[in-house]
Amino acid sequence: MSSYWLNSERVNTSNNHGTGCTLSTAIACFLAHNYVLHDAVVMAKAYVLKGLVCSESFGKGAGPVAKTAWPDEIQYYPEITAVSGAEINNLGKTQQELAAGGKFSNGLINTAQGYLDCRFPALHKGIGVYPVVDDVTMLQSVLEANCITVQLRIKANAVNEVSNDAQQTKLVQDISRAIALGKQYNAQVFINDHWQLAIQLGAFGVHLGQEDLELADLNEISAAGLALGLSSHSVFEILLAQQLNPSYIALGHIFPTTTKVMPSKPQGLAKLARYSALLNNVCPTVAIGGIDASVITDIKATGVDSVAVVRAITEAENPAKAYSLLEQQWHLAAAQQPQQQPQQQPQQQPRQSHVKSHKPSVKQLQCEPVS
């Protein structure tokens, strides 16, 4: 089992009574809301940090940590660092170094270590409906239907089952053709998994799963100027992905799906809304997993920026027509959403779903404690 170090900004306040009780209670509450343990811990830590920032004294002496709302602001969440086995046995020394103002030693493996200077390009256009296909002919058909962003996902096992020169040659040809089509139609074509070929052949972007991050060279991907999409299946994985400054983060799987074996349970609409709020104005988001026309309106209502569809297009009799209908439905759902007017900030520009921003400091936030 992997071990992690959670690091947050220090809040200089004497109003810190009850932090331990608040932390343990918050963990229990988030578990009761069906969040996995890793999620519950980072969410509880964010809740406590927000409580410290918003704390105040009542009468004489130090006051209690504030009781605030659900921690939807990613600024309160910790940075996550994977800890090696050798370093676990030496945590006492590490804590002393940190207390003295030092930094993590080389034994600590930051999930973003070596990639902190990587800046993956922002998307040129908002995504909308995002087809994920395994066939270049189908990819071309949705591009001809004015698709803006599409992903070519040729599963690795489909190549490895017949790992010969002919199979590899076809893979190269398919990816090369998909990239050429993207340039022809001025579209954002992402290549799933095969990041080395994506670099070699000049792709717009590459999409990686969490399990692929240990094998991929993100420095090389960034240096080549490729956009990067990352998968996530929980709050914890969202934080891991966000630390790498990707071009977008996929949130899933929302509903049951048969397209691949999933490492987690379906997240559902309520969690999707929480995930979307967490990344609002931080990184573009894409909902994925078991999505078809019957749930498009519900998906849009969660606030997520875009929606990826697989079987609703790949199993359709006419994939191009299926894409067009889904895109129309998505825009109709967007038009039906209530328009939120900014309060006391008339100069603020409307958010664009394809624009990234960076995670600001907790010191830049204003507190609104729950009464």
Side-chain angles (χ1 to χ4, degrees):
M1 179 181 292
S2 299
S3 298
Y4 299 92
W5 183 288
L6 306 180
N7 182 46
S8 301
E9 289 187 52
R10 182 177 180 82
V11 179
N12 292 318
T13 178
S14 59
N15 301 319
N16 53 20
H17 286 185
T19 51
C21 294
T22 301
L23 178 68
S24 58
T25 302
I27 291 174
C29 288
F30 290 127
L31 288 173
H33 277 274
N34 294 318
Y35 285 87
V36 296
L37 180 59
H38 282 57
D39 283 4
V41 170
V42 294
M43 294 167 77
K45 186 165 174 59
Y47 181 80
V48 171
L49 182 63
K50 185 174 182 179
L52 288 170
V53 171
C54 299
S55 65
E56 55 183 315
S57 178
F58 300 94
K60 297 182 179 179
V65 60
K67 302 302 183 285
T68 63
W70 193 285
D72 280 334
E73 305 92 343
I74 201 168
Q75 293 87 344
Y76 291 117
Y77 281 78
E79 180 184 274
I80 302 172
T81 303
V83 185
S84 67
E87 195 65 31
I88 293 176
N89 297 326
N90 201 24
L91 278 181
K93 180 180 177 181
T94 301
Q95 291 172 324
Q96 293 174 3
E97 291 174 350
L98 290 172
K103 295 183 178 181
F104 291 122
S105 69
N106 291 333
L108 289 168
I109 308 169
N110 193 310
T111 55
Q113 186 174 3
Y115 304 125
L116 295 177
D117 295 328
C118 288
R119 289 294 182 266
F120 298 97
L123 300 174
H124 296 166
K125 310 170 185 176
I127 295 176
V129 174
Y130 184 16
V132 179
V133 302
D134 59 3
D135 177 80
V136 181
T137 300
M138 189 177 298
L139 183 142
Q140 181 174 358
S141 71
V142 296
L143 290 179
E144 291 174 347
N146 299 316
C147 178
I148 295 172
T149 307
V150 62
Q151 181 184 138
L152 180 66
R153 184 168 74 183
I154 300 177
K155 297 180 181 179
N157 59 358
V159 177
N160 295 335
E161 286 174 0
V162 187
S163 55
N164 52 37
D165 293 340
Q167 193 67 222
Q168 183 65 21
T169 297
K170 185 178 186 306
L171 176 65
V172 173
Q173 290 174 344
D174 286 346
I175 293 177
S176 180
R177 185 181 168 204
I179 293 171
L181 287 168
K183 294 176 180 178
Q184 177 183 341
Y185 288 93
N186 192 28
Q188 302 172 142
V189 175
F190 282 82
I191 305 302
N192 183 282
D193 192 24
H194 303 286
W195 61 273
Q196 290 156 312
L197 285 176
I199 293 174
Q200 176 185 334
L201 299 172
F204 172 84
V206 63
H207 181 94
L208 298 175
Q210 294 272 330
E211 67 280 2
D212 302 318
L213 292 175
E214 296 180 5
L215 304 176
D217 188 333
L218 299 190
N219 280 325
E220 191 174 346
I221 295 172
S222 176
L226 272 64
L228 176 67
L230 293 176
S231 297
S232 68
H233 309 91
S234 64
V235 173
F236 194 84
E237 290 192 356
I238 287 172
L239 298 179
L240 291 176
Q242 189 274 332
Q243 289 178 179
L244 298 173
N245 304 300
S247 306
Y248 72 81
I249 296 177
L251 311 173
H253 59 299
I254 308 306
F255 302 111
T257 177
T258 61
T259 58
K260 59 187 295 188
V261 178
M262 303 304 299
S264 59
K265 295 180 180 179
Q267 302 300 296
L269 292 171
K271 286 187 178 180
L272 176 59
R274 293 294 185 187
Y275 299 164
S276 301
L278 189 62
L279 290 172
N280 185 37
N281 286 322
V282 175
C283 183
T285 52
V286 181
I288 189 170
I291 296 171
D292 57 25
S294 68
V295 295
I296 283 284
T297 301
D298 293 334
I299 291 288
K300 185 61 183 176
T302 66
V304 71
D305 295 320
S306 306
V307 59
V309 287
V310 186
R311 288 179 297 158
I313 288 178
T314 60
E315 296 181 3
E317 183 176 346
N318 186 329
K321 183 177 180 181
Y323 163 76
S324 296
L325 291 174
L326 288 166
E327 182 72 12
Q328 291 173 16
Q329 188 176 355
W330 179 255
H331 284 290
L332 179 61
Q336 293 173 342
Q337 295 299 310
Q339 298 297 317
Q340 296 182 351
Q341 298 297 327
Q343 298 179 358
Q344 299 178 347
Q345 292 181 328
Q347 76 282 5
Q348 184 176 349
Q349 297 297 318
R351 177 170 181 253
Q352 294 177 302
S353 64
H354 58 284
V355 176
K356 296 192 300 177
S357 61
H358 297 297
K359 177 180 174 180
S361 165
V362 295
K363 299 175 183 176
Q364 298 175 268
L365 298 176
Q366 294 182 349
C367 288
E368 296 181 0
V370 174
S371 58

